[in-house]
Amino acid sequence: MDATRVPRYAGPATFARLPRADEVSRPDVLVVGVPFDSGVSYRPGARFGPGHIRGASTLLRPYNPAQDVHPFGEQQVADAGDIAVNPFDITEAIATIAGASERLAEDGAALVTLGGDHTIALPILRTMRRLHGPIAVLHFDAHLDTWDTYFGAPYTHGTPFRRASEEGLLDLEHCQHMGIRGPLYAAEDLEDDRTLGFQIVRADDYEVDGIRGAVDRMRARLGDGPVYVSIDIDVLDPAHAPGTGTPEPGGLTSRELLNTLRGLRGLNVVGADVVEVAPAYDHAEITGVAAAHVAYELISILAANRR
Ligand code: MN
Ligand code: MN
């Protein structure tokens, strides 16, 4: 939509005022919301994330100078709306997300999913595994999300990557966490995490090695196979993303995160999500604007890699 004719705060309520999926014939990229937060362990509210990110995304402009790309002009991007899931039955919700994401992606569209809590990454990874084979997960988060159970529950926002590893969805030689920090339950958490297939660039490593050092390690680890990028917005410092369910101090700046994503140029990115945006704790749309720009940077990478 032309912002010189319709101001950016007017127009359709889709992501970046893009067309709806039913208005285009062959989408290259679909933005889809998953308003689900029944898997959270602390503050609830991420079910309202998709609408909040879409609301903040009206600020986005057509040309991304940082990547020299027109993310919406060089490929067909559309908004597929939300996947409606059961808030009372996590197992059913996971099955619904797996089925819906496969239907959306099976004709070749790359999915950029707006969460929702981190539970939703598991069913999407099941779809990615079916369509692309074992997946290298690039996971941005303060937290490992490879814990086993909470209160006996296997499917929560703190467990998706352990389940994914156990289910054989992951390429265990090429998975990478970015931005990990904060207290754990025990030192064994880190040993388990290694065994499950992950290496770690800590938030503090950015202080020592800079963005370039973090990007070099990330690219060396990911390799040439299919990469799925999962971004928990709490990878950002609470100063940059207060509106989230499990905040941890000492996180990345939004500049560090955006520049790290630009470092994905040329890698085989097959899909991505931005999760854990909880608008009830957001102030002045800080978190929503950050999440919208993170999605924009990812869509820009997909456009650049299409060339
Ligand atoms: Mn987290
Ligand atoms: Mn997470």
Side-chain angles (χ1 to χ4, degrees), residues 2 281 288:
D2 184 351
Y281 317 100

Side-chain angles (χ1 to χ4, degrees), residues 43 49 52-60 232-244 247 252-255 257-258 274-295:
R43 295 171 175 168
H52 189 61
I53 299 169
R54 286 190 181 100
S57 72
T58 58
L59 195 60
L60 297 168
D232 185 326
I233 204 66
D234 73 26
V235 74
L236 295 178
D237 190 88
H240 296 260
T244 193
L252 272 55
T253 66
S254 48
R255 186 167 58 207
L257 176 56
L258 295 174
V274 186
V275 299
E276 301 281 351
V277 173
Y281 317 100
D282 204 7
H283 313 287
E285 273 190 313
I286 296 170
T287 316
V289 168
H293 278 73
V294 163

Side-chain angles (χ1 to χ4, degrees), residues 34 55 58 77 100 112 130 159 172 176 222 234 236 256 266 273 278:
V34 183
T58 58
V77 190
V112 175
R130 272 198 288 276
T159 62
L172 303 182
Q176 177 73 40
L222 290 173
D234 73 26
L236 295 178
E256 286 167 336
D273 62 56

